[in-house]
Amino acid sequence: MNARIVGHVEAVLLILILLFIPGYAAIMRAQHPAATAASANSAPGANVDSAKIANADTDPGEWLSHGRTYSEQRFSPLDQINTANVKSLGVAWEYRTYSVRGLEATPLVADGVMYITLAWSKVIALDAKTGKELWTYDPKVPGATGRYACCDVVNRGVALWKGAVFVGTLDGRLIKLNAKTGDVVWSIDTVENHMHTYTITGAPRVMNGLVVIGNGGAEYDSRGYVSAFDTDTGKLAWRFHVVPGDPSKPQENAALQAALKTWDTTGKYKFWNIGGGGAPWNSMAYDPQLDLLYFGTGNGNPWNRNLRSPKGGDNLYLSSVVALHARTGEFAWAYQTTPGDTWDFDSTADVVLADLTIDGKLRHVLMHAPKNGFFYVIDRATGKLISAQKFGIVNWAKSIDLKTGRPVENPDARYKEKLTVVYPAATGAHNWQPMTYDPQTGLVYIPAMDAAQPFIGSSSIDYHPHAWNLGIDFAAISDAVLKLIQSGQAPAPAVGFIKAWNPVTQKEAWQVSMGGSWNSGLMSTGGGLLFGGDAYGMFSAYDAKNGKRLWNIDLKTGILAPAMSYTIDGEQYVALLAGWGGAGGLSAFRDPNTALSKYQTNQGRLFVFKLGGRQIVQPLSPEGTPPVDPPAMTAAENAMTAKGFTLYHTTCLVCHGFFAQSEGEVPDLRLAAPEIWSQYDAIVLDGALQDGGMASFKDILSKDDVTAIRAYVLQQSHLAWDQAHPAAGHKP
Ligand code: CA
């Protein structure tokens, strides 16, 4: 045997020996982590489980769960980007999503792969360092589903678990994907009754091998519930209904049996037929020590309690934070923020867990700043209220009684059938856009709004399945608002802020004005920074101590989604989706400074930033605004505009805006292209544009109704033409 062959054999033996020394193999893996992530059988995030998410702070370079940790603080400990160097932050790469609807997702990052969701529940996997697209998944949500989503066809993100990606779809499916390939592992229908209207827009959360998701739909005809499914099989493990069902039948559990006593079951409009509401469509948090899962519940359905539960009552568990034992779904406790909700005061804003020293004692608390304008600090083991204070303009209640935990209501705010202006608005003093708790400053940062809501209650409901059933007279409200505008007494326009809130003293530390009202969620970091964006497309970093703006960049697309942060190869990145929409962005009536009116475009983009990033943010070309050139109006059309006004504001307002004026992401009907005016029946009754999200309304509207709506929109189009061409006189 010659020396070369001996050397070769020895080398092979050495390799074999080394491979069987576990310690050496571990060293090799540590030196080549990318090789591990890319190996044939291991998907990104293969090691993500309850322990890994609970210990997220030991690996702050990843972002494995919606709010980063189970506590949902949205605080990234990363500090490479900090107050001293943030000036040099710039775009590392940009990914165009080719979507024109709202983007609300928090990107997740595991093993160097980023997962985002887009409008219509699409999922994208990207190389988190380069932005290279790895795979895309389109669940092919039918366009007609757009009608069943109150507040845009949005999605707030995925959950990761043991090499799988979970996404909820707008039409109510929960889908498990292979994190490496995007292939479907299983897909289940979470909708228990398709006679009612359910959506999913929220991000799932996973703990103990159960993937949990809540459903939306409380503006329509739904009974809210949250469900947990086995991550391996997709089998339903438990389901908790937020409100009681048919009172003639046994309720599903003792908590609902108790809740039933807080509803009037003798009303003409049987709430269990319309649904009752309470949709838990957004927030969740989890305490692994207590094994309690917390989620926020939505408004009553219909909104108007006078019709839903005419003799009053708290209507448990609407507008509440509910705690369940996570493994079994058994009820632990609930705290109702708005008893007997009648104002669309969802309590679905994020739930944030923290340990705070209050009156010298360490308290394990839950913090919550829902639509109703109060900031709550609650003992998260017992559900007992510790403190609550207003963080914005509130007129529906004076204060929260700490002994009873109940609001001291302003009785005038419970509207009847005449105009009543309530603060906050139905969009809330704080909506789904997440706040963040920074343990370094001890402050909570809230994307807050001050906005007024005009209410006029209906005296009855013309109940339609799969339609908005609110018990609110939007035609009368529109008429009243028009008169207020004409007399110069319109309510003040909505305004937005970042409010820094001290949860211990329940006092504001500082605030910055945001110009627009409907702005982005927030993230705080170990670098002493607070990141947030606005409706104009401006993304900024603030000094978390005092709100001083240290850096900003114009992304040229309005921003709703919160930023997140991660590291690759020791370098810190900040990622953010830009794409305006949601409840406040569909039509955005009379918000003169929206992203859309500024750039006339809403093309979605993902931006990733790093120190020294040099990519230029290019404005995307406008999609083109059709000229205002409406056809002439006939005498018969002029005669039906009043009927059209009422029908439009009852059926079309929510997406297309007051007075058919839209400055949001949904088309301004007054600016329709010439051929559209002859296709109203085909579009509104036959669903010709349903693939784009404009469903058929033939179950609600007749041919005569559509003719009247068209006449009203045409009248508005002529008014717009006249305003745009003052020298030309009236458009005939
Ligand atoms: Ca709602």
Side-chain angles (χ1 to χ4, degrees), residues 341-667:
D341 171 50
T342 198
W343 305 281
D344 188 30
F345 282 162
D346 302 69
S347 221
T348 45
D350 46 341
V351 167
V352 178
L353 312 184
D355 295 338
L356 304 179
T357 303
I358 300 174
D359 295 332
K361 273 189 282 191
L362 186 69
R363 303 292 302 263
H364 305 295
V365 310
L366 169 162
M367 300 182 288
H368 186 48
K371 278 184 178 183
N372 77 13
F374 286 90
F375 188 99
Y376 297 86
V377 178
I378 295 167
D379 183 310
R380 70 174 181 262
T382 64
K384 196 172 166 355
L385 181 69
I386 295 171
S387 62
Q389 286 294 336
K390 291 177 186 179
F391 63 90
I393 301 179
V394 175
N395 74 357
W396 73 275
K398 294 182 186 72
S399 59
I400 308 296
D401 183 325
L402 288 186
K403 283 208 188 75
T404 62
R406 298 181 65 86
V408 180
E409 271 190 35
N410 168 9
D412 295 340
R414 287 203 177 261
Y415 58 84
K416 297 202 171 66
E417 282 136 49
K418 72 175 185 38
L419 182 68
T420 306
V421 176
V422 176
Y423 276 89
T427 42
H430 172 218
N431 205 295
W432 67 268
Q433 291 95 324
M435 59 188 192
T436 173
Y437 170 67
D438 179 346
Q440 295 185 165
T441 60
L443 299 174
V444 178
Y445 306 94
I446 313 164
M449 289 176 276
D450 283 334
Q453 182 71 51
F455 280 106
I456 298 176
S458 303
S459 56
S460 63
I461 295 180
D462 186 12
Y463 168 58
H464 290 283
H466 301 307
W468 281 58
N469 293 290
L470 302 184
I472 305 291
D473 190 341
F474 271 113
I477 291 171
S478 303
D479 196 42
V481 168
L482 189 59
K483 290 195 174 90
L484 287 174
I485 292 169
Q486 285 164 347
S487 63
Q489 294 173 297
V495 287
F497 310 90
I498 294 175
K499 296 205 178 190
W501 193 260
N502 185 323
V504 174
T505 62
Q506 285 278 17
K507 288 201 171 78
E508 185 180 300
W510 52 260
Q511 67 168 46
V512 292
S513 285
M514 296 297 279
S517 63
W518 187 245
N519 303 305
S520 89
L522 302 171
M523 172 184 66
S524 54
T525 73
L529 295 168
L530 174 71
F531 287 90
D534 71 16
Y536 306 145
M538 193 62 77
F539 181 51
S540 303
Y542 303 86
D543 186 327
K545 284 203 191 77
N546 53 32
K548 188 175 170 216
R549 185 151 80 178
L550 302 176
W551 170 85
N552 64 301
I553 188 168
D554 184 356
L555 299 181
K556 299 179 167 55
T557 302
I559 309 164
L560 293 177
M564 56 77 71
S565 191
Y566 62 98
T567 56
I568 303 277
D569 298 335
E571 187 164 32
Q572 185 183 355
Y573 297 85
V574 171
L576 175 84
L577 277 161
W580 213 55
L586 282 168
S587 61
F589 173 66
R590 284 184 185 274
D591 188 343
N593 296 311
T594 64
L596 291 187
S597 60
K598 190 171 168 189
Y599 291 109
Q600 292 300 314
T601 179
N602 189 38
Q603 299 178 54
R605 311 153 94 162
L606 170 77
F607 291 96
V608 172
F609 305 90
K610 66 174 185 176
L611 294 174
R614 289 179 175 277
Q615 292 289 317
I616 304 295
V617 179
Q618 301 287 353
L620 299 176
S621 55
E623 285 139 355
T625 305
V628 184
D629 191 16
M633 287 187 77
T634 65
E637 284 164 348
N638 272 309
M640 61 178 81
T641 54
K643 179 185 174 190
F645 175 94
T646 299
L647 286 166
Y648 174 89
H649 286 98
T650 308
T651 311
C652 318
L653 153 82
V654 172
C655 293
H656 288 284
F658 279 105
F659 317 125
Q661 297 178 23
S662 170
E663 287 154 345
E665 58 171 301
V666 164

Side-chain angles (χ1 to χ4, degrees), residues 219 281 299 303 344 346 371:
E219 271 63 43
W281 53 267
N299 56 279
W303 284 6
D344 188 30
D346 302 69
K371 278 184 178 183

Side-chain angles (χ1 to χ4, degrees), residues 172-174 188-194 198 200 210-215 223-230 234-243 251-253 255-256 280 293 295 322 324-331:
R173 287 169 286 160
L174 182 68
I188 50 160
D189 185 1
T190 71
V191 177
E192 63 175 6
N193 182 353
H194 283 277
Y198 290 100
I200 296 176
L210 298 177
V211 52
V212 184
I213 191 70
N215 294 60
R223 181 188 182 204
Y225 56 84
V226 63
S227 319
F229 301 89
D230 184 293
K235 195 167 165 282
L236 181 68
W238 54 256
R239 173 164 287 162
F240 182 86
H241 291 85
V242 173
V243 298
Q251 301 300 308
E252 285 87 345
N253 54 56
L256 283 177
L293 170 71
F295 62 91
V322 176
L324 302 180
H325 297 285
R327 283 166 210 273
T328 59
E330 278 176 276
F331 181 82

Side-chain angles (χ1 to χ4, degrees), residues 630-633 718 721-722 730-732:
M633 287 187 77
H718 278 260
W721 194 92
D722 292 349
H730 178 61
K731 165 91 180 168

